[in-house]
PDB file of all heavy atoms in Angstrom:
ATOM      1  N   GLU A 298     -48.180 -91.455  42.025  1.00  0.00           N
ATOM      2  CA  GLU A 298     -49.055 -91.604  40.867  1.00  0.00           C
ATOM      3  C   GLU A 298     -48.733 -90.579  39.778  1.00  0.00           C
ATOM      4  O   GLU A 298     -48.861 -90.855  38.584  1.00  0.00           O
ATOM      5  CB  GLU A 298     -50.500 -91.445  41.307  1.00  0.00           C
ATOM      6  CG  GLU A 298     -51.510 -91.537  40.172  1.00  0.00           C
ATOM      7  CD  GLU A 298     -52.901 -91.136  40.626  1.00  0.00           C
ATOM      8  OE1 GLU A 298     -53.034 -90.112  41.312  1.00  0.00           O
ATOM      9  OE2 GLU A 298     -53.847 -91.855  40.289  1.00  0.00           O
ATOM     10  N   SER A 299     -48.295 -89.399  40.176  1.00  0.00           N
ATOM     11  CA  SER A 299     -48.019 -88.333  39.217  1.00  0.00           C
ATOM     12  C   SER A 299     -46.698 -88.505  38.479  1.00  0.00           C
ATOM     13  O   SER A 299     -46.399 -87.764  37.545  1.00  0.00           O
ATOM     14  CB  SER A 299     -48.002 -86.978  39.944  1.00  0.00           C
ATOM     15  OG  SER A 299     -47.009 -86.983  40.972  1.00  0.00           O
ATOM     16  N   SER A 300     -45.895 -89.493  38.879  1.00  0.00           N
ATOM     17  CA  SER A 300     -44.583 -89.689  38.280  1.00  0.00           C
ATOM     18  C   SER A 300     -44.688 -90.204  36.843  1.00  0.00           C
ATOM     19  O   SER A 300     -45.530 -91.057  36.535  1.00  0.00           O
ATOM     20  CB  SER A 300     -43.780 -90.686  39.119  1.00  0.00           C
ATOM     21  OG  SER A 300     -42.641 -91.137  38.408  1.00  0.00           O
ATOM     22  N   PRO A 301     -43.814 -89.742  35.935  1.00  0.00           N
ATOM     23  CA  PRO A 301     -43.762 -90.315  34.584  1.00  0.00           C
ATOM     24  C   PRO A 301     -43.480 -91.813  34.594  1.00  0.00           C
ATOM     25  O   PRO A 301     -43.934 -92.536  33.707  1.00  0.00           O
ATOM     26  CB  PRO A 301     -42.626 -89.533  33.913  1.00  0.00           C
ATOM     27  CG  PRO A 301     -42.533 -88.251  34.670  1.00  0.00           C
ATOM     28  CD  PRO A 301     -42.887 -88.585  36.080  1.00  0.00           C
ATOM     29  N   THR A 302     -42.747 -92.284  35.598  1.00  0.00           N
ATOM     30  CA  THR A 302     -42.449 -93.716  35.707  1.00  0.00           C
ATOM     31  C   THR A 302     -43.724 -94.526  35.863  1.00  0.00           C
ATOM     32  O   THR A 302     -43.906 -95.567  35.217  1.00  0.00           O
ATOM     33  CB  THR A 302     -41.514 -93.975  36.902  1.00  0.00           C
ATOM     34  OG1 THR A 302     -40.323 -93.214  36.751  1.00  0.00           O
ATOM     35  CG2 THR A 302     -41.176 -95.452  37.010  1.00  0.00           C
ATOM     36  N   ALA A 303     -44.627 -94.078  36.734  1.00  0.00           N
ATOM     37  CA  ALA A 303     -45.885 -94.795  36.955  1.00  0.00           C
ATOM     38  C   ALA A 303     -46.704 -94.839  35.677  1.00  0.00           C
ATOM     39  O   ALA A 303     -47.218 -95.902  35.287  1.00  0.00           O
ATOM     40  CB  ALA A 303     -46.668 -94.132  38.080  1.00  0.00           C
ATOM     41  N   ARG A 304     -46.839 -93.717  35.024  1.00  0.00           N
ATOM     42  CA  ARG A 304     -47.636 -93.678  33.801  1.00  0.00           C
ATOM     43  C   ARG A 304     -47.038 -94.561  32.707  1.00  0.00           C
ATOM     44  O   ARG A 304     -47.747 -95.248  31.978  1.00  0.00           O
ATOM     45  CB  ARG A 304     -47.745 -92.226  33.305  1.00  0.00           C
ATOM     46  CG  ARG A 304     -48.526 -91.318  34.239  1.00  0.00           C
ATOM     47  CD  ARG A 304     -49.958 -91.774  34.375  1.00  0.00           C
ATOM     48  NE  ARG A 304     -50.703 -90.962  35.326  1.00  0.00           N
ATOM     49  CZ  ARG A 304     -51.944 -91.190  35.672  1.00  0.00           C
ATOM     50  NH1 ARG A 304     -52.589 -92.221  35.144  1.00  0.00           N
ATOM     51  NH2 ARG A 304     -52.565 -90.424  36.541  1.00  0.00           N
ATOM     52  N   PHE A 305     -45.726 -94.540  32.593  1.00  0.00           N
ATOM     53  CA  PHE A 305     -45.063 -95.313  31.543  1.00  0.00           C
ATOM     54  C   PHE A 305     -45.258 -96.816  31.750  1.00  0.00           C
ATOM     55  O   PHE A 305     -45.604 -97.548  30.828  1.00  0.00           O
ATOM     56  CB  PHE A 305     -43.569 -94.973  31.524  1.00  0.00           C
ATOM     57  CG  PHE A 305     -42.800 -95.646  30.424  1.00  0.00           C
ATOM     58  CD1 PHE A 305     -42.728 -95.074  29.159  1.00  0.00           C
ATOM     59  CD2 PHE A 305     -42.142 -96.852  30.641  1.00  0.00           C
ATOM     60  CE1 PHE A 305     -42.017 -95.693  28.145  1.00  0.00           C
ATOM     61  CE2 PHE A 305     -41.437 -97.471  29.629  1.00  0.00           C
ATOM     62  CZ  PHE A 305     -41.378 -96.890  28.371  1.00  0.00           C
ATOM     63  N   PHE A 306     -45.050 -97.299  32.988  1.00  0.00           N
ATOM     64  CA  PHE A 306     -45.121 -98.728  33.224  1.00  0.00           C
ATOM     65  C   PHE A 306     -46.547 -99.239  33.345  1.00  0.00           C
ATOM     66  O   PHE A 306     -46.770-100.446  33.409  1.00  0.00           O
ATOM     67  CB  PHE A 306     -44.323 -99.088  34.486  1.00  0.00           C
ATOM     68  CG  PHE A 306     -42.850 -99.230  34.222  1.00  0.00           C
ATOM     69  CD1 PHE A 306     -42.014 -98.131  34.314  1.00  0.00           C
ATOM     70  CD2 PHE A 306     -42.305-100.444  33.851  1.00  0.00           C
ATOM     71  CE1 PHE A 306     -40.658 -98.252  34.051  1.00  0.00           C
ATOM     72  CE2 PHE A 306     -40.953-100.570  33.579  1.00  0.00           C
ATOM     73  CZ  PHE A 306     -40.121 -99.474  33.682  1.00  0.00           C
ATOM     74  N   LEU A 307     -47.518 -98.359  33.380  1.00  0.00           N
ATOM     75  CA  LEU A 307     -48.913 -98.787  33.362  1.00  0.00           C
ATOM     76  C   LEU A 307     -49.543 -98.616  31.991  1.00  0.00           C
ATOM     77  O   LEU A 307     -50.721 -98.895  31.807  1.00  0.00           O
ATOM     78  CB  LEU A 307     -49.721 -98.002  34.399  1.00  0.00           C
ATOM     79  CG  LEU A 307     -49.417 -98.352  35.851  1.00  0.00           C
ATOM     80  CD1 LEU A 307     -50.120 -97.395  36.790  1.00  0.00           C
ATOM     81  CD2 LEU A 307     -49.817 -99.779  36.169  1.00  0.00           C
ATOM     82  N   ASP A 308     -48.757 -98.174  31.023  1.00  0.00           N
ATOM     83  CA  ASP A 308     -49.239 -97.996  29.665  1.00  0.00           C
ATOM     84  C   ASP A 308     -48.991 -99.272  28.876  1.00  0.00           C
ATOM     85  O   ASP A 308     -47.848 -99.646  28.621  1.00  0.00           O
ATOM     86  CB  ASP A 308     -48.517 -96.813  29.009  1.00  0.00           C
ATOM     87  CG  ASP A 308     -49.052 -96.506  27.620  1.00  0.00           C
ATOM     88  OD1 ASP A 308     -49.897 -97.265  27.126  1.00  0.00           O
ATOM     89  OD2 ASP A 308     -48.611 -95.502  27.028  1.00  0.00           O
ATOM     90  N   SER A 309     -50.055 -99.962  28.500  1.00  0.00           N
ATOM     91  CA  SER A 309     -49.911-101.247  27.808  1.00  0.00           C
ATOM     92  C   SER A 309     -49.211-101.097  26.466  1.00  0.00           C
ATOM     93  O   SER A 309     -48.641-102.054  25.936  1.00  0.00           O
ATOM     94  CB  SER A 309     -51.285-101.888  27.606  1.00  0.00           C
ATOM     95  OG  SER A 309     -52.127-101.023  26.859  1.00  0.00           O
TER      96      SER A 309
END
Side-chain angles (χ1 to χ4, degrees):
E298 178 190 46
S299 59
S300 166
T302 303
R304 294 297 177 183
F305 184 86
F306 278 89
L307 289 172
D308 184 354
S309 58

